[in-house]
Amino acid sequence: MSSPSSCKAFLEGVIVTRFDMLLGPVPAVIHPQEFLTEEEARTVSEDAMLLLSAVKQGTIYSIMSFNGINKVGVVGVQLSPSDAAIGIITVFDENARGLIWETYPVIRTLITKEMQNVKSQPARVALRLFEELTKLCKRFSEWNDLRALQGKMEASINRTIDAANSLLSSGELEKLEGGTGGIKERITRLIAVLEESKSILKEKLS
């Protein structure tokens, strides 16, 4: 299974940013603090601020590429008529595109859950979201490992089935003394068991 370090290679961090119409984006929280410089965090926040042009009120979410730092992420921006806009920006390694596309609904739900607290508890929100995304990333990595293992097991089963079928059709069994009915029957049963095992394996890991 994947180690925690391989999961952290996907997830970089979380930024909570306030969007001021005069000052522009102001990163309020960067977690972990060392994952980006303040300048890089501002660059990412400027990219996220582009979403403000698409929303007048409420919350908008989007998968974004942060080309300035070669990262990708999911962004949630909340805008209200009486208060400044605020955004939650999750940042991932650029190789995490597959993870993001497959788990986007989950990431969006996690961000949505934290939006109600982001203005009053930005640091806690960033920490909680980082922890939840780390768990999600770990599950995704482990699931990929399981799918890879499934592929290897299915390939091995298929090779065994092919070898058994080849033996049945080769005519070599007819050359054995003492008759071949019992052997053929056992090989046929073996093939049936292997086919059933392959179906069970697929069902368990689907």
Side-chain angles (χ1 to χ4, degrees):
M1 296 296 176
S2 296
S3 65
S5 61
S6 66
C7 299
K8 290 179 181 178
F10 277 134
L11 176 63
E12 298 279 346
V14 177
I15 304 171
V16 175
T17 297
R18 301 185 188 280
F19 300 102
D20 188 287
M21 293 306 155
L22 294 177
L23 300 176
V26 181
V29 178
I30 303 172
H31 183 85
Q33 289 185 349
E34 69 278 4
F35 98 91
L36 285 181
T37 65
E38 289 188 10
E39 182 179 350
E40 289 171 331
R42 189 174 179 86
T43 297
V44 169
S45 299
E46 287 173 350
D47 290 341
M49 194 172 183
L50 296 175
L51 294 180
L52 290 177
S53 62
V55 60
K56 300 300 181 183
Q57 185 174 344
T59 307
I60 187 171
Y61 302 89
S62 179
I63 296 172
M64 299 191 73
S65 294
F66 307 118
N67 297 323
I69 58 171
N70 295 320
K71 308 293 182 186
V72 294
V74 178
V75 179
V77 174
Q78 186 180 71
L79 183 65
S80 68
S82 60
D83 204 353
I86 194 163
I88 297 177
I89 307 168
T90 63
V91 183
F92 295 80
D93 182 87
E94 62 178 345
N95 294 318
R97 295 179 187 276
L99 180 154
I100 290 175
W101 281 108
E102 290 194 40
T103 63
Y104 172 71
V106 180
I107 297 174
R108 176 172 170 161
T109 297
L110 290 172
I111 295 175
T112 301
K113 187 171 69 172
E114 295 294 351
M115 273 296 183
Q116 60 184 338
N117 301 313
V118 69
K119 291 182 179 179
S120 59
Q121 304 174 355
R124 291 185 180 180
V125 163
L127 173 60
R128 282 196 301 265
L129 191 53
F130 182 82
E131 290 175 345
E132 290 300 318
L133 289 173
T134 298
K135 294 175 185 176
L136 175 65
C137 179
K138 186 173 185 295
R139 290 196 299 270
F140 181 83
S141 297
E142 290 176 345
W143 179 241
N144 272 351
D145 288 344
L146 283 174
R147 286 191 289 190
L149 177 61
Q150 177 189 5
K152 291 179 180 179
M153 293 178 69
E154 285 187 354
S156 179
I157 291 173
N158 285 334
R159 286 195 297 270
T160 304
I161 291 173
D162 290 343
N165 282 323
S166 178
L167 179 60
L168 285 176
S169 61
S170 67
E172 293 297 321
L173 292 176
E174 280 70 16
K175 299 177 183 179
L176 298 176
E177 297 180 359
T180 62
I183 297 176
K184 284 186 174 181
E185 182 179 347
R186 285 194 291 272
I187 292 176
T188 301
R189 284 205 303 267
L190 172 62
I191 292 173
V193 169
L194 290 172
E195 291 285 5
E196 182 180 4
S197 299
K198 189 167 64 173
S199 298
I200 293 174
L201 178 66
K202 186 174 182 179
E203 178 182 345
K204 293 294 184 183
L205 296 180
S206 62

